[in-house]
Amino acid sequence: MDSPRKMRGISKGVSFSSVQDPRFKTNRISVNLITSLNKETATINALIPQVLRKGFRGCEDFTELNQRLQALYGAYLDADVQKRGDHQILSFSITVISDRFALHGEPISAQAAEILCDLTLHPLEEEGGFRPQYVELEKTALIDTIEAEINDKHSYSVNSLIREMCGGEPYGVPRYCFPDRVGEITPSAALAQYRELLRTARIELFFVGSGDPEPVCQVFEEAFQSVERDCGASALSRSTPHPLREGEIRRKTERMAVTQSKLVLGFSTGIPADAGNVSAVRMMSAVFGGGGIPASKLFLNLRERLSLCYYCSARYDIYKGLVIVSCGVEHQNAKRAEEEILIQLRELQEGNISDREYQSALLSLKNAYATIYENDASVENFYLGQLLTGQDLSPEQERKKLDALTREELVQAARTLRYDTVYLLTGKEEEAHE
């Protein structure tokens, strides 16, 4: 079965993808600017989407913009910044009801696309920069967002492991970079950077819903024809897998006022995202410690059998070829937990996989693919991932690849793992006892 995603180029480095499904009652329309992740531009790029969503020429503030959205039967506008592998993605999306539900036959989706084009191509400007009050407001909000990340100790510890493990790579740059860089941003610098993004970033436009994508595509096609583009700079490159490193395991311990320690282990595979054994690595990671799988090796042994941790799971980062294991432990159990994680990895590498472990992982992954079509955002998220990894498969095709796997392929995938880095977040009081 072919992928249901239909794709065509509409300008230099600008593509339009559509996925139609009659089960949806809404249409999701989005603009995604994909650029290389680096510490010099990551923070200013993270600020830009929130400044842009305040309004545009002819729609001078967010109140007026909100009124226009409400006139489209309560359309929902969102702006965000993502980090995927070595890429940073600035996203703008509008979700509207399908045109067939309009009371008077209004072309709602095309009108929503026009708003997105105005937001992205005709921002509010004052004296050669973005509107200053909007920039200052969003600078404060961005600092709050960056500083708030530390309150989620699980995410903080995983991100700290990635910074330590991939410090010399684009992937090591935090999603929003650092709060001390926010204060340096000026309205003119932000606008200049955004103009550079419009010229050089890869731009992926999406339509996901039950309606006709053609009117939306026509709006985008007309709008982007006049945008100056650098076709060479906007080529979509792939993320480079984290290299297999020889030598001692890198270790990092950080102390904070926490009651539960966080232990995170980073493994590299060296496998690129478009390799033929990616499905085997994904399945192997699920058997090892897939999140939410109670029959995974880490859950069954570290949590249930040995009571070494409060939670323990493994996740696979396809873009960088990483498997990251994270767990919440008492400080005195951290060393023992690390040892047991490595024991369970050796069990995998030696082919000791029970039917229960295998079938539970298979069912969990297949169910994850089956639920992608439960909402339009997850559909777009899936196909954007396909673009970034150079694939063009449907969720159903990915599910069938799992069915075709053998246990030997899982064992071979496990044997690619190289222990690289370990990060421990623990309490300040523990230092006095060591």
Side-chain angles (χ1 to χ4, degrees), residues 292-426:
I293 303 178
S296 68
K297 284 187 175 295
L298 296 183
F299 188 94
L300 285 174
N301 290 282
L302 272 84
R303 187 180 186 278
E304 297 298 289
R305 181 171 63 85
L306 298 172
S307 299
L308 287 174
C309 57
Y310 299 97
Y311 66 87
C312 190
S313 63
R315 71 174 180 87
Y316 172 46
D317 187 316
I318 187 174
Y319 303 106
K320 297 297 293 182
L322 305 178
V323 173
I324 297 174
V325 175
S326 59
C327 55
V329 299
E330 296 293 337
H331 177 77
Q332 65 271 19
N333 290 333
K335 181 175 177 57
R336 180 72 181 90
E338 179 187 354
E339 293 171 348
E340 185 62 29
I341 290 169
L342 297 178
I343 288 173
Q344 294 308 314
L345 176 57
R346 286 196 293 273
E347 288 289 300
L348 261 177
Q349 293 171 334
E350 293 170 4
N352 297 322
I353 304 171
S354 70
D355 289 341
R356 179 188 178 193
E357 291 167 345
Y358 187 91
Q359 292 301 326
S360 294
L362 181 61
L363 181 62
S364 177
L365 289 180
K366 291 177 68 174
N367 184 63
Y369 283 125
T371 58
I372 284 173
Y373 275 88
E374 287 187 353
N375 67 77
D376 46 18
S378 65
V379 173
E380 180 187 324
N381 183 64
F382 173 81
Y383 283 105
L384 183 57
Q386 292 282 299
L387 285 169
L388 291 172
T389 57
Q391 307 296 305
D392 189 23
L393 300 175
S394 68
E396 183 58 33
Q397 288 170 318
E398 291 283 15
R399 290 179 70 191
K400 289 181 178 179
K401 287 171 66 176
L402 294 174
D403 283 326
L405 290 174
T406 66
R407 296 197 186 202
E408 181 57 30
E409 288 176 298
L410 265 64
V411 172
Q412 292 303 319
R415 290 174 179 170
T416 67
L417 265 63
R418 298 291 183 272
Y419 193 13
D420 188 295
T421 305
V422 58
Y423 169 86
L424 176 65
L425 175 64
T426 192

Side-chain angles (χ1 to χ4, degrees), residues 18-81:
S18 62
V19 182
Q20 292 177 270
D21 192 308
R23 291 172 292 185
F24 289 126
K25 302 297 187 293
T26 59
N27 296 326
R28 176 184 170 89
I29 307 163
S30 67
V31 178
N32 299 278
L33 281 70
I34 306 172
T35 189
S36 298
L37 182 62
N38 71 75
K39 63 182 179 181
E40 301 304 323
T41 58
T43 301
I44 197 168
N45 287 348
L47 180 77
I48 288 170
Q50 299 306 323
V51 174
L52 289 178
R53 75 188 303 270
K54 295 296 184 183
F56 49 85
R57 290 203 302 264
C59 186
E60 296 299 307
D61 55 42
F62 188 72
T63 299
E64 185 177 348
L65 175 57
N66 193 51
Q67 289 172 346
R68 291 186 60 169
L69 293 171
Q70 290 303 312
L72 296 180
Y73 297 87
Y76 176 73
L77 169 68
D78 193 21
D80 194 16
V81 60

Side-chain angles (χ1 to χ4, degrees), residues 139-154:
K139 283 168 64 173
T140 300
L142 181 58
I143 290 173
D144 290 342
T145 298
I146 296 172
E147 293 181 343
E149 286 192 316
I150 199 171
N151 295 326
D152 183 344
K153 295 300 188 289
H154 171 67

Side-chain angles (χ1 to χ4, degrees), residues 50-117:
Q50 299 306 323
V51 174
L52 289 178
R53 75 188 303 270
K54 295 296 184 183
F56 49 85
R57 290 203 302 264
C59 186
E60 296 299 307
D61 55 42
F62 188 72
T63 299
E64 185 177 348
L65 175 57
N66 193 51
Q67 289 172 346
R68 291 186 60 169
L69 293 171
Q70 290 303 312
L72 296 180
Y73 297 87
Y76 176 73
L77 169 68
D78 193 21
D80 194 16
V81 60
Q82 305 175 52
K83 168 184 170 179
R84 295 206 193 186
D86 296 333
H87 296 106
Q88 188 177 35
I89 306 175
L90 286 66
S91 301
F92 311 87
S93 66
I94 293 183
T95 302
V96 294
I97 63 171
S98 186
D99 290 6
R100 70 180 188 273
F101 298 116
L103 294 177
H104 307 292
E106 305 97 310
I108 304 172
S109 297
Q111 292 174 20
E114 290 172 357
I115 290 177
L116 275 181
C117 289

